[in-house]
Amino acid sequence: MSLVARHLEGNGIPTLIIGSALDIVEHCGVPRYLFVDFPLGNPCGKPWDRAMQSRIMDHALNLFAQARQPSTEHSEEHWGSDEWRSRYMEVSDANREELALKGEELREQRAVRQPRT
């Protein structure tokens, strides 16, 4: 998305990225970025937490409207517990079999959607 944003900006279309991968997005040099320190895949807030999602969107829209130069802002929203940080991307003996099964299920689903030629 960061590279698409740069391309659109280069063609006169303003953009804003809301994301959780601070180092990656800033490295790509997007002009307007709202960093939300949440697990990847949840940049707009917790599922079903409409109040949190609305606050994040309000922040993003304000940044979009007011930023006159390249800008990164950090959301003040908190996920709650930071427990997700220690378990994020964890592979251990306790979950290895479960992850292997999920991976196999995903491969099977992809094979059904996109038959090989």
Side-chain angles (χ1 to χ4, degrees), residues 22-90:
L22 181 66
D23 54 343
I24 296 168
V25 176
E26 284 191 328
H27 179 75
C28 291
V30 300
R32 281 167 295 282
Y33 176 43
L34 177 59
F35 170 67
V36 183
D37 194 12
F38 286 172
L40 292 178
N42 297 280
C44 293
K46 289 182 174 183
W48 303 286
D49 187 338
R50 291 183 180 184
M52 175 187 281
Q53 295 165 359
S54 290
R55 290 189 303 270
I56 292 171
M57 290 308 300
D58 286 345
H59 189 165
L61 292 171
N62 286 329
L63 174 60
F64 185 76
Q66 296 172 4
R68 300 289 177 243
Q69 60 187 12
S71 177
T72 295
E73 288 192 13
H74 293 243
S75 171
E76 294 182 8
E77 294 294 328
H78 295 282
W79 189 259
S81 167
D82 280 344
E83 182 181 333
W84 65 270
R85 291 179 194 283
S86 64
R87 292 192 345 249
Y88 184 73
M89 301 287 290
E90 176 186 27

